Amino acid sequence: MSGSHGDGHGDGLHVPGHTVVHHVPAHAALLGVVAFVLVVVATPATEPLAYAGYALLLGAAVVLAGLAPALVLKRMVVEVPFVVFALLVPFVAAGPRVEVLGVAVSQPGLVDAGALLAKATLGVVAAIVLSATQHPRALLLGLSRLRVPDLVVTIAGFMFRYTQVVLDEMRRMRVAREARGFEATSVRQAKVLAQSAGALFIRSYERGERVHLAMLSRGWDGAMPALTDLRRETVRRGAWLPAAVLPLAALAVLTVQLTTSRGLAP
Amino acid sequence: MTTAPPLALSVRDLAFAYPDGRQVLYGVDLDVARGERVAMLGPNGAGKTTLVLHLNGILSPGRGEVRVDGLVVGPDTRREVRRRVGIVFQDPDDQLFMPTVAEDVAFGPANLGVTGADLRRCVDRALEQVAMSGFGDRSPHHLSFGQRRRVAVATVLAMQPQILVLDEPSSNLDPASRRELADIVRSLPVSVLMVTHDLPYAAELCSRSVLLDAGQVVAARPTAELLADTELLGAHRLELPYGFEPTRLSGCYGEPVAGAARDQ
Ligand SMILES: Nc1ncnc2c1ncn2[C@@H]1O[C@H](COP(=O)(O)OP(=O)(O)OP(=O)(O)O)[C@@H](O)[C@H]1O
Ligand SMILES: [Mg+2]
């Protein structure tokens, strides 16, 4: 595949592959994930089985995309702040209390926390599948195909490009630290890390200024030129179908759940 | 009125202080004839980059003026000047900010209003000039440093400047890339101002050199002559590499480039 896409592998979060999931055109994949997340978010906290159904669907997508579960788990680390927040909710929320492991916690709080955690997890995993199966470049093109304003797409492109530059700078700084015998093993070394972070911020800021000068030098006057005619793409017919399956299946799960639980409650 | 054509670039009595009050340039004079290649030498902190930023109106002089092909650089002429003067910055990562090489090369011409098939042709040709055809769809961070430097040159060539300004173009290049870049520069029908610490590179490419130190022009002579003055070089923190013999240089930039290109 090297030819047309250029970059061999490891571009951003992209994991190259040739599965049906990988071949979904980016704009369809974006729409599919957004629709799926909307269904998830719209699901009331009182329907735990629906969440289980969504999880199965996502699990199927992960398997179909040939992604290693370990990789997905590792990338789920970004979710940790949500987990912490969700764990706090039962302690601070009002309402009737129940005993969990000898501690009184709020019952609605517990349900809310569970639902929050489930929604966050499902959203994060969906995003992981999307970012692992779509090249960042393709995602940008997908955004512009979806009529997202060029300015927004360009800014997203900038962010992607400069995240790479800043990451490279971070890597160099880490190498420089370690080459001089630094190992981040104890909290006491936090100061060094904090200083590095400060230096990184300043470097990135100054980089921004130099980039701005370079843009001015090439006749930039504040408006992004339209470069859409440079973008070429080929889409196989019907390749977008898998993207539609995910939200539709989720919607089916939700409908079934809602009707059965209504039906059971007289 | 004189019959001589206007200089490609002429800097007169240029003085400049940064907003923080630091005076960097103290009355610099500099000329580049059409088709001529001039090297600007000088130690770190001499004010070379600061001078370069005046050449397309990014910085405005405190005193004096810069003319590009007779046109005084100022707020009204900035757009035209930026079309005529192409600056390749020292760090290609500062210059390449679009997600793909092709889009980056297209950025300049698109700002000038080029669109559609013309734009693509412009991009293809610039990439071809730096021997980077076929890299259009790659993202810049996946290229080697030398390749990024070449693409940075292409981003500027795509604007078809009349004057190419290169800020330390040979730094960080391996010998082969360094030579290839020299070939590219030599093949272009443009005037060149090349900022460098790389004295052999200056000797190879530029018939004339200007030595800048502490914001002033200390010497402006034919390169071979300037490099032969080791005392002068030493006084301004410049050194020839070990074993390099400037007296054997004469004519190594081949034909009198300046004269030949002036005829075009
Ligand atoms: N934005 C700025 N604000 C204030 N002072 C600056 C700024 N940029 C550069 N200077 C100062 O101006 C002087 C000349 O800097 P300049 O970057 O022009 O040097 P240079 O000749 O390009 O050096 P080098 O060979 O290291 O690239 C230096 O003393 C520098 O500290
Ligand atoms: Mg400099």
Side-chain angles (χ1 to χ4, degrees):
Chain A
M1 85 175 277
S2 55
S4 64
H5 277 270
D7 311 81
H9 54 83
D11 221 344
L13 298 170
H14 186 229
V15 179
H18 293 282
T19 68
V20 278
V21 187
H22 282 85
H23 286 303
V24 175
H27 61 285
L30 278 163
L31 279 183
V33 165
V34 168
F36 174 76
V37 170
L38 284 180
V39 174
V40 170
V41 170
T43 306
T46 47
E47 305 292 336
L49 275 180
Y51 292 112
Y54 304 151
L56 279 179
L57 286 173
L58 269 187
V62 169
V63 172
L64 271 179
L67 297 174
L71 175 116
V72 176
L73 286 176
K74 213 170 83 191
R75 291 189 178 174
M76 281 169 69
V77 171
V78 296
E79 207 200 331
V80 168
F82 281 97
V83 177
V84 173
F85 180 67
L87 287 176
L88 287 178
V89 172
F91 295 98
V92 294
R97 303 257 137 186
V98 291
E99 292 260 315
V100 176
L101 301 174
V103 183
V105 295
S106 148
Q107 194 184 8
L110 202 60
V111 174
D112 281 349
L116 177 69
L117 203 55
K119 286 177 184 176
T121 309
L122 291 165
V124 166
V125 174
I128 289 172
V129 174
L130 179 70
S131 60
T133 52
Q134 294 291 335
H135 192 274
R137 186 72 210 116
L139 283 177
L140 290 176
L141 291 177
L143 286 177
S144 65
R145 274 194 84 142
L146 292 175
R147 302 285 143 93
V148 172
D150 254 357
L151 184 64
V152 176
V153 178
T154 306
I155 290 174
F158 268 24
M159 282 170 62
F160 170 65
R161 164 82 180 107
Y162 279 101
T163 312
Q164 306 295 327
V165 172
V166 171
L167 285 179
D168 271 358
E169 233 141 66
M170 251 165 87
R171 201 172 306 130
R172 281 199 290 274
M173 286 170 68
R174 199 196 61 223
V175 170
R177 280 199 306 268
E178 289 175 2
R180 283 178 277 163
F182 177 84
E183 272 170 61
T185 44
S186 94
V187 229
R188 265 174 293 150
Q189 280 141 345
K191 190 172 158 231
V192 176
L193 292 179
Q195 281 166 345
S196 304
L200 181 69
F201 174 77
I202 291 174
R203 281 197 201 184
S204 313
Y205 177 78
E206 291 182 339
R207 164 88 62 194
E209 285 200 316
R210 293 200 303 272
V211 170
H212 184 228
L213 291 184
M215 290 171 72
L216 289 177
S217 293
R218 286 200 272 154
W220 185 64
D221 54 8
M224 236 28 223
L227 298 177
T228 25
D229 17 11
L230 281 177
R231 296 168 180 164
R232 36 197 134 172
E233 51 207 307
T234 48
V235 173
R236 278 184 219 173
R237 295 182 73 196
W240 53 273
L241 268 172
V245 171
L246 185 67
L248 288 179
L251 198 58
V253 168
L254 179 62
T255 321
V256 170
Q257 253 329 101
L258 285 180
T259 43
T260 50
S261 58
R262 292 261 164 71
L264 289 178
Chain B
M1 266 282 164
T2 53
T3 46
L7 293 161
L9 184 71
S10 107
V11 177
R12 285 286 163 267
D13 192 30
L14 180 65
F16 177 79
Y18 276 103
D20 64 359
R22 189 187 181 96
Q23 186 82 26
V24 178
L25 300 176
Y26 299 84
V28 173
D29 291 300
L30 175 77
D31 288 335
V32 178
R34 286 201 189 150
E36 191 184 21
R37 290 196 295 266
V38 175
M40 184 156 66
L41 315 173
N44 291 134
K48 304 181 297 293
T49 301
T50 307
L51 177 58
V52 163
L53 293 178
H54 281 86
L55 302 182
N56 68 354
I58 284 182
L59 295 178
S60 308
R63 190 186 75 211
E65 65 173 21
V66 177
R67 281 172 186 263
V68 172
D69 219 3
L71 194 65
V72 179
V73 178
D76 309 331
T77 54
R78 208 171 275 162
R79 205 179 151 77
E80 176 60 18
V81 163
R82 286 181 184 162
R83 201 182 61 70
R84 293 188 192 175
V85 180
I87 301 185
V88 179
F89 288 87
Q90 197 164 345
D91 183 348
D93 275 333
D94 295 344
Q95 196 140 8
L96 307 178
F97 49 84
M98 298 295 275
T100 67
V101 166
E103 279 174 282
D104 215 304
V105 175
F107 179 80
N111 278 325
L112 300 179
V114 182
T115 51
D118 287 343
L119 187 59
R120 185 165 299 175
R121 218 172 303 125
C122 211
V123 170
D124 290 344
R125 197 182 45 209
L127 285 176
E128 199 183 305
Q129 277 178 306
V130 297
M132 289 292 285
S133 308
F135 284 81
D137 290 334
R138 302 271 289 258
S139 57
H141 70 273
H142 274 233
L143 303 179
S144 78
F145 189 90
Q147 291 172 327
R148 266 179 289 168
R149 169 69 49 73
R150 282 199 241 172
V151 173
V153 173
T155 63
V156 169
L157 293 185
M159 299 179 72
Q160 304 183 1
Q162 295 164 5
I163 305 169
L164 187 62
V165 179
L166 301 153
D167 199 347
E168 310 205 8
S170 64
S171 61
N172 277 321
L173 293 188
D174 64 25
S177 315
R178 184 173 169 278
R179 181 179 44 71
E180 282 161 12
L181 185 65
D183 292 341
I184 293 165
V185 170
R186 223 182 268 117
S187 70
L188 298 170
V190 297
S191 317
V192 174
L193 180 68
M194 186 172 85
V195 174
T196 189
H197 302 284
D198 184 343
L199 302 185
Y201 212 51
E204 196 183 328
L205 280 170
C206 303
S207 50
R208 219 157 54 78
S209 288
V210 173
L211 174 54
L212 190 78
D213 197 0
Q216 281 176 308
V217 173
V218 189
R221 301 182 203 161
T223 307
E225 219 176 291
L226 198 145
L227 296 193
D229 192 343
T230 39
E231 210 169 301
L232 177 71
L233 294 182
H236 299 285
R237 303 177 55 81
L238 293 172
E239 292 173 10
L240 289 166
Y242 179 74
F244 184 80
E245 196 50 74
T247 47
R248 274 191 268 140
L249 267 175
S250 57
C252 86
Y253 18 79
E255 310 310 308
V257 182
R262 214 177 274 146
D263 297 338
Q264 59 174 335

